[in-house]
Amino acid sequence: MTTRPIAVVGASAAGLAAAEALRRSGWTGPLTLIGDEPHLPYDRPPLSKQLLHGTWEPERLLLRTKEQLDPLGLDLRLGTRATGLDVAARALTLDTGERLDCAGVIIATGVAARTLPGADALTGVHTLRTLDDALALRGRLADGGRRLVIVGNGVLGCEAAAVARELGHEVTLVGHDPVPMAAAVGTAVGELLAEEHRARGVTLRTGTVDGFDTDGDAVTAVRLADGGTPGNGGAAAGGEGGTRLPAETVLLAIGSTPAVGWLGDDPALDTTDGLRCDAYCAAAPGIYAAGDVARWEHPVHGRPLRIEHRMNATEQGMAAARNLLAELAADGPDAQERRPFAPVPYFWSDQYDLKIQAYGPTAGADRVETPVLDRAGRRVLALYGREGRAVAVLAAGLPPRQIRALRAVVATPLPWDEALTRIDTATATG
C-alpha cells in the first residue's frame, strides 16, 4: 500500500522549514507542499524594505531555488489553495477539486492583509503582504514626488514610510495611536520613532479613515472621520466630511487576520485569533500549525501566543515537523518524545539607519521602563513586564554585544527588580 503523504499547507518560511525538517528527521514518504501563490517560497521581511526600495530584485528573496528544492522530493503544488480539512480523516480538499488523504498535516497559511470597504476597487490603493503586492506598490512609487498616505502606524507602516521618504515621496502616516508602533513597543520607544520620522519629513497624524475621495476609480484623497490630530503640522484639506489628506497612492497597513477561514467551523479546531495549538504545536491529532497562523500555548509564558515574526516562523516550522513525526512514530521502534516549543521570540525592524531589535513578547506588557533613553544619540533600551515579571527587552543604537547579552535576561521571565539589575550589568559590561 502506498504511504499517505504528509501535507504542508503554506509554501512560506514556516512551511518550507517544516518540509525540510521532515526530511532531515527521517520522513521518506510522500511530502506535499501546497502554496496559494505561484512563487517559490520567499522571504517576506524584505518586501517592505529592500524590495520596495528597489535595492533587491525578487530573485534575491527566494528561500530556495528550484534546484535546491529538488533533493527534497516534494510534490510541489504552487498556485493551489486548500479549501477544506476533514480533521478526523486528516484529509485536505484543494481548489482543484482533489481530496488528499494525509498521514499528517502542518498548517502554515500565515495571515492576510486587512483592507477597508471599497478599497479593492480603487486604483492607487495597496496592501503589502505578498511579493505581488510589493511589486505593485514599487511600480506605483517608481516615479518620484508622489503623495503617499499610509494608513496604519505599526511596524509595516513605519518601515514603508521610511522607504518612501528615502525615495523622495511626500509621506503622511496615519494611525489610531498618537505615536508609531505604540501597541508593540510602548510610548517611550514610540516617541523616539516619531521623532525620527518627523526629522526625515514624514507627517504624522492620528485619526480614523472614513473613506476615500476619487476621480473615476483613482484615489485622490483619504478622508478622516474625526478630522484627525496633526502630528507635526502637515497641511490637510478640511471641510464637510472631515479632514482630507491628498494622495495619489495609499498603503493600507492596518494589520492582518490569520488565514483560517478555509478550515471552516469544525468543532475539533479552535480558530479564534489563529489556529489554537497545545505546547507541541498540535491543533488536533496529526494536525499541527506553525508560523503567523499558529496560536500555541507557550510553556514558559504560560499563555497562548501568536507571533508574526520571521524567526519564529522558521523555528516553529521545524518544531511542528519534529513533533508530528514523533506522534506518527509513537508506537513504533523509532518512537521519540515530543518537545514543547518554547522559543525566546525575536523581531527586528529597520527604519532609515535605525535598527530595532527585541527579545520576548513586547505586546501586552503592563509595565515598561527605559533604563537607556538617549533621543539625541538615538539609543534606547526598554524592559517590558507582565504580572510582576520581565518578559521582553528591546534595544536600538547599542553595541551588538550588549544587545546579544539582553536575550539571557528574558529567556526565562524574571522578577522585575532582578531583571533590571541584570540589565544594568549587561549594559555596563558590554
Side-chain angles (χ1 to χ4, degrees), residues 174-201:
V174 182
H176 288 297
D177 295 316
V179 296
M181 290 175 53
V185 302
T187 301
V189 178
E191 287 175 346
L192 183 145
L193 293 172
E195 291 174 5
E196 187 71 14
H197 281 283
R198 290 191 188 103
R200 304 284 185 149

Side-chain angles (χ1 to χ4, degrees), residues 383-397:
L383 185 66
Y384 301 79
R386 186 182 175 94
E387 298 176 351
R389 305 183 78 81
V391 297
V393 63
L394 175 149

Side-chain angles (χ1 to χ4, degrees), residues 30-55:
L31 179 55
T32 302
L33 180 60
I34 301 163
D36 60 356
E37 295 183 60
H39 311 293
L40 292 172
Y42 61 87
D43 214 8
R44 292 188 190 275
L47 295 178
S48 59
K49 298 183 278 287
Q50 295 93 337
L51 187 88
L52 187 60
H53 198 287
T55 54

